[in-house]
Amino acid sequence: RAQLGGSEYQRCVAHDSHPSAAYNTSDHEALREDLLFDISRDEYPAVTAYNDSKALLAEVTCEAAPPSLFTDTEVCTSVDGFCDVSCEMPVPDHCITGDKSFGTCEPTVNHICSSIEKTHNNCEQTQRQSIAAEDRYNKHEVGVPPCRVDADAPFA
């Protein structure tokens, strides 16, 4: 009697797996039909020539190897300044030294200086992470594309 999980199939599914309610497991013919590969090859032309391998191989294109330097990647070359890791955001001298009196505006100036300093520190942290990621990318061995690009190359 046909049953789900009654063959080697049970090794591929969880122990308590079961078909949906719409799947009829009692119809033996339907189960057999599900397991048959019934695509007809009649609509495909027969293979008659084996001499055109070189021509077919010449049509094969390979994906270009990724650039070995991060700054040569498409995102860096297509968007001006996108890969700039410099952190051109200095904290103003008067914020650092605190040597200037801003009178009644002092609380506001101190708040602005604090905000600038936080933003500057975040920028430097992001800069360090970006430089480290770029360095990891640049150290990666690119290698060669995994396909044949020369039509005259002998078959392996």
CSV table of all heavy atoms in Angstrom, one decimal, residues 79-132:
chain,number,residue,atom,x,y,z
A,79,VAL,N,30.1,57.0,-7.8
A,79,VAL,CA,29.6,58.1,-7.0
A,79,VAL,C,30.7,58.9,-6.4
A,79,VAL,O,31.5,58.4,-5.6
A,79,VAL,CB,28.7,57.5,-5.9
A,79,VAL,CG1,28.1,58.6,-5.0
A,79,VAL,CG2,27.6,56.6,-6.4
A,80,ASP,N,30.9,60.1,-6.9
A,80,ASP,CA,32.0,60.9,-6.5
A,80,ASP,C,32.0,61.1,-4.9
A,80,ASP,O,31.0,61.6,-4.4
A,80,ASP,CB,32.0,62.3,-7.2
A,80,ASP,CG,33.2,63.1,-7.0
A,80,ASP,OD1,34.3,62.5,-7.0
A,80,ASP,OD2,33.1,64.3,-6.8
A,81,GLY,N,33.1,60.8,-4.3
A,81,GLY,CA,33.3,61.0,-2.9
A,81,GLY,C,32.6,60.0,-2.0
A,81,GLY,O,32.7,60.1,-0.8
A,82,PHE,N,32.0,58.9,-2.6
A,82,PHE,CA,31.3,57.9,-1.8
A,82,PHE,C,32.2,57.2,-0.9
A,82,PHE,O,31.9,56.8,0.2
A,82,PHE,CB,30.5,57.0,-2.7
A,82,PHE,CG,29.7,56.0,-2.0
A,82,PHE,CD1,28.4,56.4,-1.6
A,82,PHE,CD2,30.1,54.7,-1.7
A,82,PHE,CE1,27.6,55.5,-0.9
A,82,PHE,CE2,29.3,53.8,-1.0
A,82,PHE,CZ,28.1,54.2,-0.6
A,83,CYS,N,33.4,56.9,-1.3
A,83,CYS,CA,34.4,56.1,-0.6
A,83,CYS,C,35.4,56.9,0.2
A,83,CYS,O,36.5,56.4,0.6
A,83,CYS,CB,35.0,55.1,-1.5
A,83,CYS,SG,33.8,53.8,-2.1
A,84,ASP,N,35.1,58.2,0.3
A,84,ASP,CA,36.1,59.1,1.0
A,84,ASP,C,36.0,58.8,2.5
A,84,ASP,O,34.9,58.9,3.1
A,84,ASP,CB,35.7,60.6,0.8
A,84,ASP,CG,36.6,61.5,1.5
A,84,ASP,OD1,37.7,61.1,2.0
A,84,ASP,OD2,36.2,62.7,1.6
A,85,VAL,N,37.1,58.3,3.1
A,85,VAL,CA,37.0,58.0,4.5
A,85,VAL,C,37.6,59.1,5.4
A,85,VAL,O,37.7,58.9,6.6
A,85,VAL,CB,37.7,56.6,4.8
A,85,VAL,CG1,37.0,55.5,4.2
A,85,VAL,CG2,39.2,56.7,4.4
A,86,SER,N,38.0,60.2,4.8
A,86,SER,CA,38.5,61.3,5.7
A,86,SER,C,37.4,61.8,6.5
A,86,SER,O,36.2,61.9,6.1
A,86,SER,CB,39.1,62.4,4.8
A,86,SER,OG,38.2,62.9,4.0
A,87,CYS,N,37.7,62.2,7.7
A,87,CYS,CA,36.7,62.8,8.6
A,87,CYS,C,37.0,64.3,8.8
A,87,CYS,O,37.6,64.7,9.8
A,87,CYS,CB,36.8,62.0,9.9
A,87,CYS,SG,35.3,62.3,10.9
A,88,GLU,N,36.7,65.0,7.8
A,88,GLU,CA,36.9,66.5,7.8
A,88,GLU,C,35.9,67.2,8.7
A,88,GLU,O,35.0,67.9,8.2
A,88,GLU,CB,36.9,67.0,6.4
A,88,GLU,CG,37.9,66.4,5.4
A,88,GLU,CD,39.3,66.8,5.8
A,88,GLU,OE1,39.6,67.8,6.4
A,88,GLU,OE2,40.2,65.9,5.5
A,89,MET,N,36.0,66.9,10.0
A,89,MET,CA,35.0,67.5,10.9
A,89,MET,C,35.7,67.9,12.2
A,89,MET,O,35.6,67.2,13.2
A,89,MET,CB,33.9,66.5,11.1
A,89,MET,CG,32.8,67.1,11.9
A,89,MET,SD,31.5,65.8,11.9
A,89,MET,CE,30.1,66.9,12.1
A,90,PRO,N,36.6,68.9,12.1
A,90,PRO,CA,37.3,69.2,13.4
A,90,PRO,C,36.4,69.9,14.4
A,90,PRO,O,35.5,70.6,14.0
A,90,PRO,CB,38.4,70.2,12.8
A,90,PRO,CG,37.8,70.8,11.6
A,90,PRO,CD,36.9,69.7,11.0
A,91,VAL,N,36.8,69.7,15.6
A,91,VAL,CA,36.1,70.4,16.7
A,91,VAL,C,36.7,71.8,16.8
A,91,VAL,O,38.0,71.9,16.9
A,91,VAL,CB,36.2,69.7,18.0
A,91,VAL,CG1,35.6,70.4,19.2
A,91,VAL,CG2,35.7,68.3,17.9
A,92,PRO,N,35.9,72.9,16.8
A,92,PRO,CA,36.5,74.3,16.9
A,92,PRO,C,37.4,74.4,18.1
A,92,PRO,O,37.1,73.9,19.2
A,92,PRO,CB,35.2,75.2,17.0
A,92,PRO,CG,34.1,74.3,16.4
A,92,PRO,CD,34.5,72.9,16.7
A,93,ASP,N,38.4,75.2,18.0
A,93,ASP,CA,39.4,75.4,19.1
A,93,ASP,C,38.7,75.9,20.4
A,93,ASP,O,39.1,75.5,21.5
A,93,ASP,CB,40.5,76.4,18.7
A,93,ASP,CG,41.4,75.8,17.6
A,93,ASP,OD1,41.5,74.6,17.6
A,93,ASP,OD2,42.1,76.6,16.9
A,94,HIS,N,37.8,76.8,20.2
A,94,HIS,CA,37.2,77.4,21.4
A,94,HIS,C,36.3,76.4,22.2
A,94,HIS,O,36.1,76.5,23.4
A,94,HIS,CB,36.3,78.6,21.1
A,94,HIS,CG,37.1,79.8,20.6
A,94,HIS,ND1,38.1,80.4,21.4
A,94,HIS,CD2,37.1,80.5,19.5
A,94,HIS,CE1,38.7,81.4,20.7
A,94,HIS,NE2,38.1,81.5,19.6
A,95,CYS,N,35.9,75.3,21.5
A,95,CYS,CA,35.2,74.2,22.1
A,95,CYS,C,36.1,73.4,22.9
A,95,CYS,O,35.8,72.9,24.0
A,95,CYS,CB,34.4,73.4,21.1
A,95,CYS,SG,33.0,74.1,20.4
A,96,ILE,N,37.3,73.2,22.4
A,96,ILE,CA,38.3,72.3,23.0
A,96,ILE,C,38.9,73.0,24.3
A,96,ILE,O,39.0,72.5,25.4
A,96,ILE,CB,39.5,72.0,22.1
A,96,ILE,CG1,38.9,71.1,20.9
A,96,ILE,CG2,40.6,71.2,22.8
A,96,ILE,CD1,39.9,70.9,19.8
A,97,THR,N,39.4,74.3,24.1
A,97,THR,CA,40.1,74.9,25.2
A,97,THR,C,39.1,75.5,26.2
A,97,THR,O,39.5,75.6,27.4
A,97,THR,CB,41.0,76.1,24.6
A,97,THR,OG1,40.1,77.0,23.9
A,97,THR,CG2,42.0,75.5,23.7
A,98,GLY,N,38.0,76.0,25.8
A,98,GLY,CA,37.1,76.6,26.7
A,98,GLY,C,37.6,78.0,27.2
A,98,GLY,O,37.2,78.4,28.3
A,99,ASP,N,38.5,78.6,26.5
A,99,ASP,CA,39.2,79.8,27.0
A,99,ASP,C,38.4,81.1,26.6
A,99,ASP,O,38.9,82.1,26.9
A,99,ASP,CB,40.6,79.8,26.4
A,99,ASP,CG,40.6,79.9,24.9
A,99,ASP,OD1,39.6,79.7,24.3
A,99,ASP,OD2,41.7,80.1,24.3
A,100,LYS,N,37.3,80.9,25.9
A,100,LYS,CA,36.6,82.2,25.5
A,100,LYS,C,35.3,82.2,26.3
A,100,LYS,O,34.6,81.2,26.5
A,100,LYS,CB,36.4,82.1,24.0
A,100,LYS,CG,35.8,83.4,23.5
A,100,LYS,CD,35.9,83.5,22.0
A,100,LYS,CE,35.4,84.8,21.6
A,100,LYS,NZ,35.6,85.2,20.2
A,101,SER,N,34.9,83.3,26.7
A,101,SER,CA,33.6,83.5,27.4
A,101,SER,C,32.5,83.9,26.4
A,101,SER,O,32.7,84.8,25.6
A,101,SER,CB,33.8,84.6,28.5
A,101,SER,OG,32.5,84.9,29.1
A,102,PHE,N,31.4,83.2,26.5
A,102,PHE,CA,30.3,83.5,25.6
A,102,PHE,C,29.1,84.2,26.4
A,102,PHE,O,28.0,84.3,25.8
A,102,PHE,CB,29.9,82.2,24.9
A,102,PHE,CG,30.9,81.7,24.0
A,102,PHE,CD1,31.7,80.7,24.3
A,102,PHE,CD2,31.0,82.3,22.7
A,102,PHE,CE1,32.7,80.2,23.5
A,102,PHE,CE2,32.0,81.8,21.8
A,102,PHE,CZ,32.8,80.8,22.2
A,103,GLY,N,29.4,84.6,27.6
A,103,GLY,CA,28.4,85.3,28.4
A,103,GLY,C,27.1,84.5,28.6
A,103,GLY,O,27.2,83.3,28.9
A,104,THR,N,26.0,85.2,28.3
A,104,THR,CA,24.7,84.5,28.6
A,104,THR,C,24.5,83.4,27.5
A,104,THR,O,23.6,82.5,27.7
A,104,THR,CB,23.5,85.5,28.5
A,104,THR,OG1,23.6,86.2,27.2
A,104,THR,CG2,23.6,86.5,29.6
A,105,CYS,N,25.2,83.4,26.5
A,105,CYS,CA,25.0,82.3,25.4
A,105,CYS,C,25.9,81.1,25.8
A,105,CYS,O,25.8,80.1,25.0
A,105,CYS,CB,25.5,82.8,24.1
A,105,CYS,SG,24.4,84.2,23.4
A,106,GLU,N,26.6,81.1,26.9
A,106,GLU,CA,27.5,80.0,27.2
A,106,GLU,C,26.8,78.7,27.3
A,106,GLU,O,27.3,77.7,26.7
A,106,GLU,CB,28.2,80.3,28.6
A,106,GLU,CG,29.2,79.3,28.9
A,106,GLU,CD,30.6,79.9,29.0
A,106,GLU,OE1,30.8,81.1,29.0
A,106,GLU,OE2,31.6,79.1,29.1
A,107,PRO,N,25.6,78.5,27.9
A,107,PRO,CA,25.0,77.2,27.9
A,107,PRO,C,24.7,76.7,26.5
A,107,PRO,O,24.9,75.5,26.2
A,107,PRO,CB,23.7,77.4,28.7
A,107,PRO,CG,24.0,78.6,29.6
A,107,PRO,CD,24.9,79.5,28.7
A,108,THR,N,24.2,77.6,25.7
A,108,THR,CA,23.9,77.2,24.3
A,108,THR,C,25.2,76.8,23.5
A,108,THR,O,25.2,75.8,22.9
A,108,THR,CB,23.2,78.4,23.5
A,108,THR,OG1,22.1,78.7,24.2
A,108,THR,CG2,22.9,78.0,22.1
A,109,VAL,N,26.3,77.6,23.7
A,109,VAL,CA,27.5,77.3,23.1
A,109,VAL,C,28.1,75.9,23.6
A,109,VAL,O,28.6,75.1,22.8
A,109,VAL,CB,28.5,78.4,23.3
A,109,VAL,CG1,29.9,78.0,22.8
A,109,VAL,CG2,28.1,79.7,22.6
A,110,ASN,N,28.0,75.7,24.9
A,110,ASN,CA,28.5,74.5,25.5
A,110,ASN,C,27.7,73.3,24.9
A,110,ASN,O,28.3,72.2,24.6
A,110,ASN,CB,28.4,74.5,27.0
A,110,ASN,CG,29.4,75.4,27.6
A,110,ASN,OD1,30.4,75.7,27.0
A,110,ASN,ND2,29.2,75.8,28.9
A,111,HIS,N,26.4,73.4,24.7
A,111,HIS,CA,25.6,72.4,24.2
A,111,HIS,C,26.0,72.1,22.7
A,111,HIS,O,26.1,70.9,22.3
A,111,HIS,CB,24.1,72.8,24.3
A,111,HIS,CG,23.2,71.7,23.7
A,111,HIS,ND1,22.9,70.5,24.3
A,111,HIS,CD2,22.5,71.8,22.5
A,111,HIS,CE1,22.1,69.8,23.5
A,111,HIS,NE2,21.8,70.5,22.4
A,112,ILE,N,26.2,73.2,22.0
A,112,ILE,CA,26.6,73.0,20.6
A,112,ILE,C,27.9,72.4,20.5
A,112,ILE,O,28.2,71.4,19.7
A,112,ILE,CB,26.5,74.4,19.8
A,112,ILE,CG1,25.1,74.9,19.7
A,112,ILE,CG2,27.2,74.3,18.5
A,112,ILE,CD1,25.0,76.3,19.2
A,113,CYS,N,28.9,72.8,21.3
A,113,CYS,CA,30.2,72.2,21.3
A,113,CYS,C,30.1,70.7,21.7
A,113,CYS,O,30.8,69.9,21.1
A,113,CYS,CB,31.1,72.9,22.3
A,113,CYS,SG,31.7,74.5,21.7
A,114,SER,N,29.3,70.4,22.6
A,114,SER,CA,29.1,69.0,23.0
A,114,SER,C,28.6,68.1,21.8
A,114,SER,O,29.1,67.0,21.6
A,114,SER,CB,28.2,68.9,24.2
A,114,SER,OG,27.9,67.5,24.5
A,115,SER,N,27.6,68.7,21.2
A,115,SER,CA,27.0,68.0,20.0
A,115,SER,C,28.1,67.8,18.9
A,115,SER,O,28.2,66.8,18.3
A,115,SER,CB,25.8,68.8,19.5
A,115,SER,OG,25.3,68.2,18.4
A,116,ILE,N,28.9,68.9,18.6
A,116,ILE,CA,29.9,68.8,17.6
A,116,ILE,C,30.9,67.7,18.0
A,116,ILE,O,31.4,66.9,17.2
A,116,ILE,CB,30.6,70.2,17.4
A,116,ILE,CG1,29.6,71.2,16.8
A,116,ILE,CG2,31.9,70.0,16.6
A,116,ILE,CD1,30.2,72.6,16.7
A,117,GLU,N,31.3,67.7,19.3
A,117,GLU,CA,32.3,66.7,19.7
A,117,GLU,C,31.8,65.3,19.6
A,117,GLU,O,32.5,64.4,19.1
A,117,GLU,CB,32.7,67.0,21.2
A,117,GLU,CG,33.9,66.3,21.6
A,117,GLU,CD,34.4,66.8,23.0
A,117,GLU,OE1,34.2,67.9,23.4
A,117,GLU,OE2,35.1,66.0,23.6
A,118,LYS,N,30.5,65.1,20.0
A,118,LYS,CA,29.9,63.7,19.8
A,118,LYS,C,29.9,63.3,18.3
A,118,LYS,O,30.3,62.2,18.0
A,118,LYS,CB,28.5,63.7,20.3
A,118,LYS,CG,28.3,63.3,21.8
A,118,LYS,CD,26.9,63.2,22.1
A,118,LYS,CE,26.6,63.8,23.4
A,118,LYS,NZ,25.2,63.9,23.8
A,119,THR,N,29.5,64.2,17.5
A,119,THR,CA,29.4,63.9,16.0
A,119,THR,C,30.8,63.7,15.5
A,119,THR,O,31.0,62.7,14.7
A,119,THR,CB,28.8,65.1,15.3
A,119,THR,OG1,27.5,65.4,15.8
A,119,THR,CG2,28.6,64.8,13.8
A,120,HIS,N,31.8,64.4,15.9
A,120,HIS,CA,33.2,64.2,15.5
A,120,HIS,C,33.7,62.9,16.0
A,120,HIS,O,34.3,62.1,15.2
A,120,HIS,CB,34.1,65.3,16.1
A,120,HIS,CG,35.5,65.1,15.9
A,120,HIS,ND1,36.1,65.4,14.6
A,120,HIS,CD2,36.5,64.7,16.7
A,120,HIS,CE1,37.4,65.1,14.7
A,120,HIS,NE2,37.7,64.7,15.9
A,121,ASN,N,33.4,62.5,17.2
A,121,ASN,CA,33.8,61.2,17.7
A,121,ASN,C,33.2,60.0,17.0
A,121,ASN,O,33.8,59.0,16.6
A,121,ASN,CB,33.5,61.0,19.2
A,121,ASN,CG,34.4,62.0,20.0
A,121,ASN,OD1,35.5,62.4,19.6
A,121,ASN,ND2,34.0,62.3,21.3
A,122,ASN,N,31.9,60.2,16.6
A,122,ASN,CA,31.2,59.2,15.8
A,122,ASN,C,31.8,59.1,14.4
A,122,ASN,O,31.9,58.0,13.9
A,122,ASN,CB,29.7,59.5,15.8
A,122,ASN,CG,29.0,59.3,17.1
A,122,ASN,OD1,29.4,58.5,17.9
A,122,ASN,ND2,27.8,59.9,17.2
A,123,CYS,N,32.1,60.2,13.9
A,123,CYS,CA,32.7,60.2,12.6
A,123,CYS,C,34.1,59.5,12.6
A,123,CYS,O,34.4,58.7,11.7
A,123,CYS,CB,32.9,61.7,12.1
A,123,CYS,SG,33.6,61.8,10.4
A,124,GLU,N,34.9,59.7,13.6
A,124,GLU,CA,36.2,59.1,13.7
A,124,GLU,C,36.0,57.5,13.9
A,124,GLU,O,36.8,56.8,13.4
A,124,GLU,CB,37.0,59.7,14.8
A,124,GLU,CG,37.6,61.0,14.5
A,124,GLU,CD,38.6,61.5,15.5
A,124,GLU,OE1,38.5,61.1,16.7
A,124,GLU,OE2,39.5,62.3,15.1
A,125,GLN,N,35.0,57.2,14.7
A,125,GLN,CA,34.8,55.7,14.9
A,125,GLN,C,34.3,55.1,13.6
A,125,GLN,O,34.8,54.0,13.2
A,125,GLN,CB,33.7,55.5,16.0
A,125,GLN,CG,33.4,54.1,16.2
A,125,GLN,CD,32.3,53.8,17.2
A,125,GLN,OE1,31.7,54.8,17.7
A,125,GLN,NE2,32.0,52.6,17.6
A,126,THR,N,33.4,55.7,12.8
A,126,THR,CA,33.0,55.2,11.6
A,126,THR,C,34.2,55.1,10.6
A,126,THR,O,34.3,54.2,9.8
A,126,THR,CB,31.9,56.1,11.0
A,126,THR,OG1,30.8,56.1,11.9
A,126,THR,CG2,31.4,55.5,9.7
A,127,GLN,N,35.0,56.2,10.7
A,127,GLN,CA,36.2,56.2,9.8
A,127,GLN,C,37.1,55.0,10.1
A,127,GLN,O,37.6,54.3,9.2
A,127,GLN,CB,37.0,57.5,10.1
A,127,GLN,CG,38.3,57.6,9.3
A,127,GLN,CD,39.1,58.8,9.7
A,127,GLN,OE1,39.2,59.1,10.9
A,127,GLN,NE2,39.8,59.4,8.8
A,128,ARG,N,37.4,54.7,11.4
A,128,ARG,CA,38.2,53.5,11.7
A,128,ARG,C,37.6,52.2,11.2
A,128,ARG,O,38.3,51.4,10.7
A,128,ARG,CB,38.4,53.5,13.2
A,128,ARG,CG,39.4,54.5,13.8
A,128,ARG,CD,39.7,54.2,15.2
A,128,ARG,NE,38.6,54.3,16.1
A,128,ARG,CZ,38.2,55.5,16.7
A,128,ARG,NH1,38.8,56.6,16.4
A,128,ARG,NH2,37.1,55.5,17.5
A,129,GLN,N,36.3,52.1,11.3
A,129,GLN,CA,35.6,50.9,10.9
A,129,GLN,C,35.7,50.8,9.3
A,129,GLN,O,35.9,49.7,8.8
A,129,GLN,CB,34.1,50.9,11.3
A,129,GLN,CG,34.0,50.7,12.8
A,129,GLN,CD,32.5,50.9,13.2
A,129,GLN,OE1,31.7,51.4,12.5
A,129,GLN,NE2,32.2,50.4,14.5
A,130,SER,N,35.5,51.9,8.6
A,130,SER,CA,35.6,51.9,7.2
A,130,SER,C,37.0,51.5,6.7
A,130,SER,O,37.1,50.7,5.8
A,130,SER,CB,35.2,53.2,6.6
A,130,SER,OG,33.8,53.5,6.9
A,131,ILE,N,38.0,52.1,7.3
A,131,ILE,CA,39.4,51.8,6.9
A,131,ILE,C,39.7,50.4,7.2
A,131,ILE,O,40.3,49.7,6.3
A,131,ILE,CB,40.3,52.8,7.7
A,131,ILE,CG1,40.2,54.2,7.1
A,131,ILE,CG2,41.8,52.3,7.5
A,131,ILE,CD1,40.9,55.2,7.9
A,132,ALA,N,39.2,49.8,8.3
A,132,ALA,CA,39.5,48.4,8.6
A,132,ALA,C,38.8,47.5,7.6
A,132,ALA,O,39.3,46.5,7.1
A,132,ALA,CB,39.0,48.1,10.0
